[in-house]
Amino acid sequence: MIFASPAAPAFTRNVNVTVEGNFFAQVHVIQPALPLLESGNPGTIVNITSDAGVEAYSGWSGYGSSKAALEQLSRILAAEISGTNVRVLVADPGDMDTAMHRAALPDADPATLRNPRDVARALLNAVATMREPYERRTIQVDAHARA
């Protein structure tokens, strides 16, 4: 068990860094942006999540916990700003061909990974087609789309 092992201090540092980047960084961006969004034209807050935020993967406790926290923050934020012109989208881009994915899963078949450019285009479409003030979407990429 990592929590009681000699590696626990490194584990704690890793969790702190991951939560800072995947959760608190979004808090620090949303807080000053929200008044601007609420006072202007309709806007959308987009938070990028992962299936690791809802599924338990061994060895991914920091990352998965940070994404779960971000998803809950997004739901609460949407409830708190209900009735304003601001929407909240939580988007899961799926497995992409990125350095982070290659480092985490070096044996993954690159042919099965999504092109980040395709995902970015699909994410823009997800924002444009939102119907509810809060939505969680797994981003769908056109199989024929290529950057």
Side-chain angles (χ1 to χ4, degrees):
M1 174 183 259
I2 190 75
F3 294 100
S5 77
F11 168 77
T12 301
R13 280 190 304 278
N14 176 274
V15 169
N16 286 339
V17 167
T18 304
V19 171
E20 182 63 37
N22 287 338
F23 178 77
F24 285 111
Q26 282 68 16
V27 170
H28 296 307
V29 170
I30 292 167
Q31 283 179 323
L34 193 55
L36 299 170
L37 288 168
E38 290 177 320
S39 67
N41 293 323
T44 305
I45 294 169
V46 179
N47 286 323
I48 304 299
T49 192
S50 167
D51 63 334
V54 294
E55 298 292 333
Y57 298 121
S58 179
W60 289 56
S61 55
Y63 183 78
S65 297
S66 69
K67 292 302 186 176
L70 181 62
E71 290 203 31
Q72 183 66 356
L73 172 77
S74 299
R75 286 188 291 272
I76 292 168
L77 174 62
E80 290 179 353
I81 62 174
S82 177
T84 71
N85 61 347
V86 181
R87 304 173 304 177
V88 179
L89 174 64
V90 174
D92 177 354
D95 294 338
M96 294 190 295
D97 188 11
T98 64
M100 183 184 109
H101 193 279
R102 286 188 295 276
L105 300 169
D107 295 332
D109 179 1
T112 65
L113 302 176
R114 298 168 173 203
N115 183 316
R117 289 184 182 102
D118 298 338
V119 173
R121 281 191 285 274
L123 180 58
L124 291 173
N125 184 61
V127 171
T129 60
M130 281 183 73
R131 298 287 182 245
E132 301 296 325
Y134 168 84
E135 293 184 18
R136 185 196 192 282
R137 292 199 192 177
T138 299
I139 301 302
Q140 302 299 318
V141 175
D142 181 349
H144 303 290
R146 285 292 103 200

